[in-house]
Amino acid sequence: MRTAIYPGSFDPVTLGHLNIIRRASTIFDKVVVCCMVNSAKMGWFTLDERVDMLKRVTSRYINVTIDSSDILIGEYAKRFEGAVLLKGLRALSDFESEFSMAHINKKINSTLDTVFLTSDEKYTFLSSSAVKELARYEADLTHFVPREILDDVREKSKKMR
Ligand code: ADP
């Protein structure tokens, strides 16, 4: 049984993230999307809200589960035997930070490998930060976030103004 752990902030989940999750669900037996508590990133959504949105947009994928964690991902991964970490790569800029993270995670957990899926070209320039910036200007978000969470993002952006 091959499990992929896909960690991130998902603040909020975008169509870029969902594209990675969908493709991973056809490659791996099980995909665990792990919503991380990241003190360095000041988010819009609470952990519970991010987990809830992820659950709604992935409900059709039977081998995908949503979890959350406030511990190092290298430690978290120890509870899944033989699991790999999954990361999405948008551009060279992602590569540089992900490359060093992969090495750090390997130091924390010597059996933990990181695998990368390249972003679909439609979503190469898409990030959660870009979604929040667009939402602030009330832009149409239908090409950027799953339709199930459009209202959540719109509502939150009103509160953040
Ligand atoms: P963001 O960088 O948008 O805030 P996260 O920190 O939640 O997103 O990222 C979680 C993972 O998803 C990382 O591996 C990141 O590289 C990947 N990812 C983010 N956006 C995309 C995208 N548009 N296409 C592919 N992978 C992505």
Side-chain angles (χ1 to χ4, degrees), residues 43-62:
W44 269 18
F45 294 91
T46 65
L47 185 63
D48 285 349
E49 287 169 337
R50 288 181 278 139
V51 165
D52 174 67
M53 289 187 286
L54 276 164
K55 282 187 177 162
R56 277 187 274 139
V57 305
T58 60
S59 61
R60 77 198 89 145
Y61 306 118
I62 52 167

Side-chain angles (χ1 to χ4, degrees), residues 55-120:
K55 282 187 177 162
R56 277 187 274 139
V57 305
T58 60
S59 61
R60 77 198 89 145
Y61 306 118
I62 52 167
N63 61 343
V64 174
T65 54
I66 310 301
D67 195 9
S68 61
S69 174
D70 61 358
I71 63 168
L72 283 172
I73 199 70
E75 293 293 341
Y76 171 87
K78 288 179 182 167
R79 56 186 88 156
F80 301 91
E81 210 193 320
V84 294
L85 267 192
L86 170 68
K87 297 294 185 91
L89 280 186
R90 282 162 291 194
L92 271 182
S93 50
D94 270 349
F95 177 80
E96 199 169 342
S97 58
E98 294 296 354
F99 191 77
S100 53
M101 277 310 297
H103 283 287
I104 291 167
N105 285 323
K106 192 102 187 165
K107 283 267 182 285
I108 293 164
N109 178 343
S110 63
T111 61
L112 185 61
D113 275 311
T114 303
V115 299
F116 297 96
L117 280 180
T118 50
S119 170
D120 185 294

Side-chain angles (χ1 to χ4, degrees), residues 6-20 23 38 41 86-90 94 98 116-120 122-130 132:
Y6 181 42
S9 308
F10 307 106
D11 185 55
V13 56
T14 68
L15 286 176
H17 295 128
L18 194 57
N19 177 266
I20 298 284
R23 287 156 59 205
N38 187 344
K41 278 191 188 173
L86 170 68
K87 297 294 185 91
L89 280 186
R90 282 162 291 194
D94 270 349
E98 294 296 354
F116 297 96
L117 280 180
T118 50
S119 170
D120 185 294
K122 284 201 292 291
Y123 306 125
T124 298
F125 300 102
L126 182 54
S127 65
S128 298
S129 324
K132 286 179 274 193

